[in-house]
Amino acid sequence: MTPPFLEILEINKRFGDINALKNVSLNVSIGEVICIIGPSGCGKSTLLRTINWLTPPDSGKIILQGDIIGSVTGKLTIKQNRLLNNFRARIGMVFQQFNVWPHLNVLENVIKAQVVVGKKNSEEAKIKAIKMLNEVGLKDKFDEWPDNLSGGQKQRLAIARSLAMDPILMLLDEPTSALDPELIGEVLTVLRNLVKEGMTMLIVTHELGFASNFADKIVFMDAGEIIETGAPREILKFPKTDRLKHFLDKLSITSF
Amino acid sequence: MLEYQIFLDYWPMILLGFWLTLKIVLCAIALGIPLGLFLALGRRSNYLAVSFLATSFIELFRNTPFIIQVFLFYYVLPFYGLRLSAEYVGILALAAFGGAYFAEIIRAGIDAIPKGQLESARAIGMTDWQSMKNIILPQTVKIVIPPLTNQTLTLIKESAILSTITVHELTMTGLMVQGETFRPFEVFIMVALLYWALNETIATIMRRIEKSYNRNRKQSNKDKYTIDITKSSGLFR
């Protein structure tokens, strides 16, 4: 039996008195799209951030393609650090607040990491950047500064920046939550194309519509635990636990 | 009454003092700013020893009078076999004093960059240093230019204290000329004017740099920018 593409094994994380993640385990197969839903503060963003070690867990293991990411025992050695940076270069991450780099123009935003991390020459990186920006629909914005972009454009730029690194896995942390309602669509369109291309993705989201149409699996978390996992239809139409029922009820009320 | 002859007779001497002040100050800034950057990064280091040393240095030089620091450098260093001319002691003391302040300015500038900037750089695979160099520090420059300028002007004025350890810079020269002529008013007007001219020049250059920094960033947004200009440079400003 081949090991799963990404294995999240018994992750625990505390912030002071708060138990942010309690023994969370999850397997992800290649090409799978998993949406993580749950009330705010339930640990879903923390889970995403432990995968690329942006928030190192207290215990547990993250295994990508058979290799262990990071180490929970003390400070990382120089070798572990180098390994971690190699992993991160292949794991794209998209943030709620976009975090595009305001001192670089649109094109440079996409070129920078390719040159610094990927050690590409700038001509090669530029060609790739242009291709990626075309893909997310920003082809007429190459010379623009991020400050002059709309939220949706910023987020698409952030996605292009990640894609230029040829990631094998994308982590998206509420990619549309900071957007005005009329701008959410353009970002979801880009994500939909990624799904079609077979990108493996973990998405923390409140867009249940998107989740039900495009996720292979929905994971419902509450209070630092995974409560239910299943196909979108099962989760959204036939919730087994009261907590999930309660959560879905609240969402459908507030959506009016 | 002003005695104009004093100006005519002594300006070459005063200018010589000014020339030394200029050289000392430029050297001190050239050393102090890299030192400040180094200390700022050191203070934020994860290595306790490094951050302790950097913090101690900064606090020591920020919390003692500059004149005492100068005396310590001048009178104590020779005990440890380090015999330097007063000019070099002056440069070192100014650089250390300035470096401590520059460090705090740069540290505050780094801290002002939103946390997400560092996170996105780290998440894409950059090392700590690569993130600093490519993402954080370039954004910090813009923030720290005005306070760094301020501190530089302070440093130039503090250089007058080097006259107490026999550096023949501008203030010392002024004191000497005053001793010869007993005309303090004329002499110190010349001295003050030269300090003022130097500081004003530096302030103007830095303002230019700051402006061009902002302009470059707005290139692609010409329309908006023109509107801003007309608003802020009108007759009633």
Side-chain angles (χ1 to χ4, degrees), chain A residues 35 37 176-177 184 188 204-213 251:
Chain A
C35 284
I37 61 171
T176 58
S177 297
I184 290 175
L188 290 184
V204 170
T205 186
H206 295 293
E207 293 292 321
L208 293 188
F210 177 82
S212 73
N213 283 327
L251 271 191

Side-chain angles (χ1 to χ4, degrees), chain B residues 206-221:
Chain B
M206 295 313 279
R207 260 198 303 274
R208 286 267 165 81
I209 291 177
E210 200 192 333
K211 248 189 206 155
S212 81
Y213 215 91
N214 286 335
R215 193 160 42 233
N216 288 342
R217 298 232 6 233
K218 298 262 176 173
Q219 262 168 0
S220 57
N221 196 18

Side-chain angles (χ1 to χ4, degrees), chain A residues 44-231:
Chain A
K44 49 195 195 306
S45 289
T46 309
L47 174 62
L48 214 60
R49 294 165 57 91
T50 57
I51 293 172
N52 64 358
W53 225 254
L54 222 46
T55 303
D58 297 334
S59 68
K61 271 187 193 144
I62 306 286
I63 305 167
L64 183 70
Q65 294 183 310
D67 293 315
I68 297 175
I69 299 181
S71 158
V72 289
T73 50
K75 236 184 167 99
L76 296 188
T77 62
I78 293 172
K79 203 179 149 203
Q80 280 171 327
N81 249 322
R82 195 178 311 136
L83 212 60
L84 176 58
N85 286 328
N86 284 341
F87 275 121
R88 283 173 170 167
R90 291 185 293 148
I91 303 174
M93 188 163 206
V94 173
F95 300 83
Q96 182 177 356
Q97 298 301 338
F98 328 128
N99 296 341
V100 291
W101 299 320
H103 62 300
L104 302 173
N105 70 21
V106 166
L107 200 57
E108 289 163 347
N109 256 278
V110 187
I111 291 175
K112 199 68 180 180
Q114 294 187 69
V115 173
V116 173
V117 180
K119 305 290 174 219
K120 285 193 202 169
N121 69 46
S122 55
E123 206 43 47
E124 213 181 330
K126 191 174 170 186
I127 292 168
K128 180 90 180 174
I130 290 172
K131 190 165 159 250
M132 289 304 138
L133 287 169
N134 279 336
E135 228 163 88
V136 300
L138 288 175
K139 64 162 169 277
D140 49 347
K141 301 282 181 196
F142 291 164
D143 303 324
E144 199 62 81
W145 295 103
D147 286 349
N148 301 333
L149 298 180
S150 72
Q153 290 168 334
K154 278 184 200 166
Q155 193 60 298
R156 285 185 282 146
L157 170 59
I159 293 171
R161 177 176 70 182
S162 288
L163 291 180
M165 303 296 286
D166 293 318
I168 54 174
L169 167 69
M170 288 285 282
L171 308 172
L172 298 104
D173 188 4
E174 307 203 26
T176 58
S177 297
L179 297 176
D180 292 338
E182 78 271 20
L183 300 177
I184 290 175
E186 61 188 57
V187 172
L188 290 184
T189 309
V190 171
L191 296 185
R192 214 167 285 145
N193 290 337
L194 280 181
V195 173
K196 281 186 197 138
E197 283 164 23
M199 178 67 74
T200 311
M201 294 199 277
L202 278 160
I203 310 173
V204 170
T205 186
H206 295 293
E207 293 292 321
L208 293 188
F210 177 82
S212 73
N213 283 327
F214 290 94
D216 297 303
K217 218 195 261 176
I218 291 183
V219 171
F220 171 66
M221 288 183 72
D222 193 12
E225 290 174 296
I226 293 184
I227 309 295
E228 276 190 55
T229 308

